[in-house]
Amino acid sequence: MAKLSLVGLGPGSLDLMSIRAQSVIKQADVVVGYAPYVNMVEPLIDGQKLVKTGMTKEWQRADSAIQLVQQGYKVALVCSGDAGMYAMAPLIFELLASQAINIEVETIPGITAANACASLVGAPLGHDSCTISLSDLLTPWTVITQRIEAAAIADFAITFYNPRSKKRQHHIVEAQQILLKHRAVNTPVAVVNAAYRDEQSVQLSTLESFTQLEFGMNAAVIVGNSSSFRFDDWIVTPRGYRNKYSLADGETRDGQTPGRSLNDIEFPVMSDK
Protein backbone atom coordinates (compact mmCIF):
# COMPACT_ATOMS: atom_id res chain seq x y z
CA MET A 1 0.00 0.00 0.00
CA ALA A 2 1.29 3.49 -0.88
CA LYS A 3 2.44 5.41 2.17
CA LEU A 4 4.75 8.24 3.11
CA SER A 5 6.96 7.46 6.10
CA LEU A 6 8.78 10.40 7.69
CA VAL A 7 11.78 8.69 9.21
CA GLY A 8 13.97 10.19 11.91
CA LEU A 9 17.47 8.73 11.62
CA GLY A 10 18.75 10.05 14.94
CA PRO A 11 22.40 11.15 15.04
CA GLY A 12 23.27 8.95 12.07
CA SER A 13 24.78 5.76 13.46
CA LEU A 14 22.72 2.64 12.83
CA ASP A 15 22.95 1.47 16.44
CA LEU A 16 21.11 4.62 17.57
CA MET A 17 18.43 4.33 14.87
CA SER A 18 15.22 2.66 15.96
CA ILE A 19 14.40 -0.85 14.77
CA ARG A 20 11.17 0.55 13.34
CA ALA A 21 13.06 3.18 11.33
CA GLN A 22 15.40 0.58 9.89
CA SER A 23 12.50 -1.71 9.00
CA VAL A 24 10.59 1.06 7.21
CA ILE A 25 13.63 1.99 5.13
CA LYS A 26 14.26 -1.63 4.17
CA GLN A 27 10.64 -2.11 3.10
CA ALA A 28 10.33 1.16 1.17
CA ASP A 29 10.14 1.29 -2.62
CA VAL A 30 11.84 4.70 -2.65
CA VAL A 31 14.11 6.48 -0.17
CA VAL A 32 14.10 10.27 -0.47
CA GLY A 33 16.32 12.73 1.37
CA TYR A 34 19.17 15.17 1.61
CA ALA A 35 22.09 13.31 0.03
CA PRO A 36 24.29 12.98 3.16
CA TYR A 37 21.32 11.58 5.10
CA VAL A 38 20.50 9.04 2.41
CA ASN A 39 24.17 8.01 2.48
CA MET A 40 23.84 7.35 6.23
CA VAL A 41 21.43 4.49 5.56
CA GLU A 42 23.46 2.88 2.77
CA PRO A 43 23.73 -0.45 4.70
CA LEU A 44 19.91 -0.65 4.59
CA ILE A 45 19.63 -0.09 0.83
CA ASP A 46 18.94 -3.19 -1.24
CA GLY A 47 17.18 -2.31 -4.46
CA GLN A 48 15.21 0.73 -3.28
CA LYS A 49 15.11 3.66 -5.68
CA LEU A 50 17.03 6.64 -4.26
CA VAL A 51 16.08 10.30 -4.67
CA LYS A 52 18.83 12.56 -3.31
CA THR A 53 18.75 16.36 -3.28
CA GLY A 54 21.10 19.06 -2.03
CA MET A 55 21.05 21.78 0.60
CA THR A 56 18.08 24.20 0.49
CA LYS A 57 16.09 21.79 -1.69
CA GLU A 58 13.56 20.92 1.03
CA TRP A 59 10.52 21.84 -1.07
CA GLN A 60 11.74 19.67 -3.92
CA ARG A 61 12.26 16.72 -1.57
CA ALA A 62 8.82 17.11 -0.07
CA ASP A 63 7.12 17.50 -3.45
CA SER A 64 8.93 14.47 -4.89
CA ALA A 65 8.02 12.32 -1.90
CA ILE A 66 4.33 13.28 -2.10
CA GLN A 67 4.16 12.70 -5.86
CA LEU A 68 5.79 9.27 -5.52
CA VAL A 69 3.21 8.24 -2.92
CA GLN A 70 0.44 9.46 -5.22
CA GLN A 71 1.93 7.23 -7.90
CA GLY A 72 1.53 4.22 -5.63
CA TYR A 73 4.95 3.85 -3.99
CA LYS A 74 5.95 3.28 -0.38
CA VAL A 75 8.25 6.20 0.31
CA ALA A 76 10.66 6.74 3.18
CA LEU A 77 11.63 10.40 3.54
CA VAL A 78 14.69 10.34 5.80
CA CYS A 79 15.73 13.15 8.13
CA SER A 80 18.58 13.59 10.57
CA GLY A 81 17.49 13.59 14.21
CA ASP A 82 13.70 13.61 14.44
CA ALA A 83 11.61 14.37 11.35
CA GLY A 84 9.39 16.74 13.30
CA MET A 85 12.17 18.95 14.71
CA TYR A 86 13.73 21.43 12.27
CA ALA A 87 13.26 18.79 9.58
CA MET A 88 10.86 17.71 6.85
CA ALA A 89 7.67 16.72 8.68
CA PRO A 90 6.31 20.27 9.16
CA LEU A 91 6.80 21.10 5.47
CA ILE A 92 5.17 17.85 4.37
CA PHE A 93 2.08 18.50 6.46
CA GLU A 94 1.95 22.13 5.34
CA LEU A 95 1.96 21.04 1.69
CA LEU A 96 -0.67 18.37 2.29
CA ALA A 97 -2.91 20.87 4.10
CA SER A 98 -2.45 23.73 1.62
CA GLN A 99 -3.10 21.51 -1.40
CA ALA A 100 -5.81 19.36 0.24
CA ILE A 101 -3.87 16.18 -0.57
CA ASN A 102 -5.04 13.01 1.16
CA ILE A 103 -2.35 10.32 1.45
CA GLU A 104 -1.34 7.97 4.24
CA VAL A 105 1.47 9.38 6.37
CA GLU A 106 3.32 8.00 9.36
CA THR A 107 6.08 9.58 11.41
CA ILE A 108 8.88 7.43 12.82
CA PRO A 109 10.55 9.29 15.72
CA GLY A 110 14.31 9.66 16.00
CA ILE A 111 16.77 10.80 18.63
CA THR A 112 17.07 14.57 18.30
CA ALA A 113 20.37 16.46 18.15
CA ALA A 114 19.60 17.98 21.55
CA ASN A 115 19.19 14.53 23.12
CA ALA A 116 22.18 13.04 21.34
CA CYS A 117 24.50 15.91 22.24
CA ALA A 118 23.26 16.08 25.82
CA SER A 119 23.97 12.38 26.33
CA LEU A 120 27.67 12.99 25.66
CA VAL A 121 28.03 15.55 28.46
CA GLY A 122 25.97 14.11 31.30
CA ALA A 123 22.56 15.61 32.09
CA PRO A 124 22.52 19.24 30.93
CA LEU A 125 18.81 19.06 30.04
CA GLY A 126 17.70 17.51 33.31
CA HIS A 127 15.01 20.12 33.96
CA ASP A 128 12.86 22.36 31.76
CA SER A 129 14.63 23.15 28.52
CA CYS A 130 14.03 24.41 25.00
CA THR A 131 15.62 24.38 21.55
CA ILE A 132 16.25 27.50 19.46
CA SER A 133 17.63 27.58 15.94
CA LEU A 134 19.87 30.53 15.16
CA SER A 135 19.30 30.21 11.42
CA ASP A 136 17.40 33.21 10.11
CA LEU A 137 16.79 31.75 6.64
CA LEU A 138 13.14 31.05 7.52
CA THR A 139 12.64 33.01 10.75
CA PRO A 140 13.38 36.75 11.18
CA TRP A 141 16.31 37.46 13.49
CA THR A 142 14.16 39.81 15.58
CA VAL A 143 11.82 36.90 16.36
CA ILE A 144 14.75 34.66 17.27
CA THR A 145 16.21 37.22 19.68
CA GLN A 146 12.80 37.60 21.35
CA ARG A 147 12.73 33.85 21.91
CA ILE A 148 16.26 33.84 23.32
CA GLU A 149 15.35 36.65 25.71
CA ALA A 150 12.19 34.84 26.82
CA ALA A 151 14.06 31.55 27.36
CA ALA A 152 16.75 33.38 29.31
CA ILE A 153 14.23 35.09 31.56
CA ALA A 154 12.38 31.79 32.11
CA ASP A 155 15.70 30.11 33.07
CA PHE A 156 15.43 27.32 30.52
CA ALA A 157 18.46 25.26 29.66
CA ILE A 158 18.83 25.95 25.94
CA THR A 159 20.09 23.92 22.99
CA PHE A 160 21.03 26.14 20.09
CA TYR A 161 20.77 24.53 16.66
CA ASN A 162 22.59 25.97 13.61
CA PRO A 163 24.75 28.13 15.87
CA ARG A 164 27.24 29.44 13.34
CA SER A 165 28.02 29.33 9.62
CA LYS A 166 30.57 30.92 7.29
CA LYS A 167 28.15 33.75 6.48
CA ARG A 168 26.57 34.00 9.93
CA GLN A 169 29.24 34.50 12.58
CA HIS A 170 27.67 37.08 14.90
CA HIS A 171 24.31 35.50 15.77
CA ILE A 172 25.76 33.20 18.43
CA VAL A 173 27.63 36.17 19.94
CA GLU A 174 24.41 38.17 20.16
CA ALA A 175 22.68 35.17 21.74
CA GLN A 176 25.53 34.98 24.27
CA GLN A 177 25.15 38.67 25.14
CA ILE A 178 21.41 38.25 25.73
CA LEU A 179 22.00 35.29 28.04
CA LEU A 180 24.73 37.10 29.97
CA LYS A 181 22.13 39.65 31.07
CA HIS A 182 20.36 36.88 32.97
CA ARG A 183 22.97 34.21 33.79
CA ALA A 184 26.34 34.01 35.49
CA VAL A 185 29.48 34.18 33.35
CA ASN A 186 30.52 30.72 34.59
CA THR A 187 27.27 29.02 33.50
CA PRO A 188 28.43 25.73 31.94
CA VAL A 189 28.21 25.34 28.17
CA ALA A 190 28.80 22.31 25.94
CA VAL A 191 29.62 22.59 22.24
CA VAL A 192 29.07 19.21 20.59
CA ASN A 193 29.87 18.69 16.94
CA ALA A 194 28.49 15.80 14.87
CA ALA A 195 27.37 13.68 17.82
CA TYR A 196 27.91 9.93 17.25
CA ARG A 197 29.50 10.46 13.83
CA ASP A 198 33.11 9.98 12.82
CA GLU A 199 33.90 13.68 13.16
CA GLN A 200 32.39 13.96 16.67
CA SER A 201 33.97 16.43 19.09
CA VAL A 202 32.94 17.65 22.52
CA GLN A 203 34.12 20.93 24.04
CA LEU A 204 33.16 22.19 27.49
CA SER A 205 33.31 25.87 28.32
CA THR A 206 31.42 28.69 30.04
CA LEU A 207 28.86 31.23 28.93
CA GLU A 208 31.55 33.91 29.04
CA SER A 209 34.05 32.02 26.85
CA PHE A 210 32.36 29.46 24.59
CA THR A 211 32.12 31.72 21.52
CA GLN A 212 35.93 31.61 21.28
CA LEU A 213 35.74 27.90 20.39
CA GLU A 214 35.76 26.58 16.82
CA PHE A 215 32.38 25.22 15.69
CA GLY A 216 29.90 25.52 12.85
CA MET A 217 26.52 24.39 11.54
CA ASN A 218 26.97 20.74 12.50
CA ALA A 219 27.38 21.63 16.17
CA ALA A 220 24.79 22.09 18.88
CA VAL A 221 25.46 24.47 21.76
CA ILE A 222 23.91 23.52 25.09
CA VAL A 223 23.73 26.29 27.70
CA GLY A 224 22.83 25.36 31.26
CA ASN A 225 20.37 27.21 33.45
CA SER A 226 21.07 29.03 36.71
CA SER A 227 21.26 25.72 38.62
CA SER A 228 23.53 23.86 36.19
CA PHE A 229 27.02 22.90 37.32
CA ARG A 230 30.17 21.12 36.15
CA PHE A 231 31.04 17.77 37.69
CA ASP A 232 34.32 16.46 36.27
CA ASP A 233 33.65 16.32 32.51
CA TRP A 234 29.87 16.37 32.93
CA ILE A 235 27.29 19.13 33.00
CA VAL A 236 24.39 18.59 35.37
CA THR A 237 21.11 20.50 35.45
CA PRO A 238 19.36 19.31 38.63
CA ARG A 239 15.71 18.31 38.54
CA GLY A 240 15.17 19.80 41.99
CA TYR A 241 15.40 16.77 44.27
CA ARG A 242 17.66 18.63 46.70
CA ASN A 243 14.78 21.03 47.38
CA LYS A 244 12.69 18.22 48.85
CA TYR A 245 15.20 15.59 49.96
CA SER A 246 18.64 15.45 51.47
CA LEU A 247 20.92 13.97 48.84
CA ALA A 248 23.15 12.62 51.60
CA ASP A 249 20.58 10.21 53.06
CA GLY A 250 17.35 10.59 51.05
CA GLU A 251 15.44 11.98 53.99
CA THR A 252 12.60 14.42 53.30
CA ARG A 253 13.49 17.96 54.25
CA ASP A 254 11.58 19.76 56.98
CA GLY A 255 8.26 21.09 55.75
CA GLN A 256 8.12 18.81 52.70
CA THR A 257 5.96 15.76 51.97
CA PRO A 258 6.86 12.99 49.48
CA GLY A 259 4.49 12.89 46.51
CA ARG A 260 3.05 16.32 47.28
CA SER A 261 3.70 19.72 45.72
CA LEU A 262 6.88 21.45 46.76
CA ASN A 263 6.14 23.94 49.52
CA ASP A 264 6.84 27.50 48.50
CA ILE A 265 9.55 28.40 50.98
CA GLU A 266 13.04 29.82 50.66
CA PHE A 267 15.73 27.17 50.34
CA PRO A 268 19.33 27.75 51.33
CA VAL A 269 22.06 26.93 48.85
CA MET A 270 22.91 23.30 49.60
CA SER A 271 25.92 21.20 48.67
CA ASP A 272 25.14 17.50 48.88
CA LYS A 273 27.56 16.69 46.05
Side-chain angles (χ1 to χ4, degrees), residues 120-212:
L120 295 171
V121 293
L125 306 181
H127 208 331
D128 295 335
S129 65
C130 68
T131 61
I132 299 175
S133 172
L134 296 189
S135 172
D136 59 359
L137 294 178
L138 300 174
T139 305
W141 181 241
T142 53
V143 173
I144 295 172
T145 56
Q146 289 171 4
R147 292 172 179 173
I148 298 170
E149 185 84 38
I153 293 171
D155 200 29
F156 284 116
I158 305 171
T159 303
F160 288 113
Y161 283 56
N162 308 309
R164 182 187 278 162
S165 68
K166 291 181 180 179
K167 296 181 180 180
R168 183 171 39 79
Q169 293 286 313
H170 190 71
H171 285 10
I172 189 65
V173 176
E174 190 169 342
Q176 175 197 40
Q177 296 307 310
I178 293 172
L179 291 175
L180 282 170
K181 295 189 299 182
H182 305 280
R183 298 188 190 176
V185 295
N186 64 344
T187 300
V189 174
V191 178
V192 182
N193 181 74
Y196 295 97
R197 301 180 192 174
D198 292 341
E199 60 271 31
Q200 171 184 301
S201 68
V202 177
Q203 302 175 87
L204 299 181
S205 185
T206 64
L207 184 56
E208 181 181 40
S209 303
F210 80 94
T211 53
Q212 300 171 24

Side-chain angles (χ1 to χ4, degrees), residues 31-46:
V31 177
V32 179
Y34 176 47
Y37 301 157
V38 175
N39 294 339
M40 287 179 185
V41 299
E42 184 178 355
L44 307 177
I45 302 302
D46 184 18

Side-chain angles (χ1 to χ4, degrees), residues 8-11 16-17 80-82 109-117:
L9 301 180
L16 288 178
M17 192 184 307
S80 178
D82 182 85
I111 298 173
T112 68
N115 297 139
C117 294

Side-chain angles (χ1 to χ4, degrees), residues 208-231:
E208 181 181 40
S209 303
F210 80 94
T211 53
Q212 300 171 24
L213 302 174
E214 293 290 331
F215 58 90
M217 287 287 288
N218 286 334
V221 175
I222 302 177
V223 181
N225 69 10
S226 62
S227 299
S228 302
F229 62 89
R230 279 282 299 275
F231 170 61

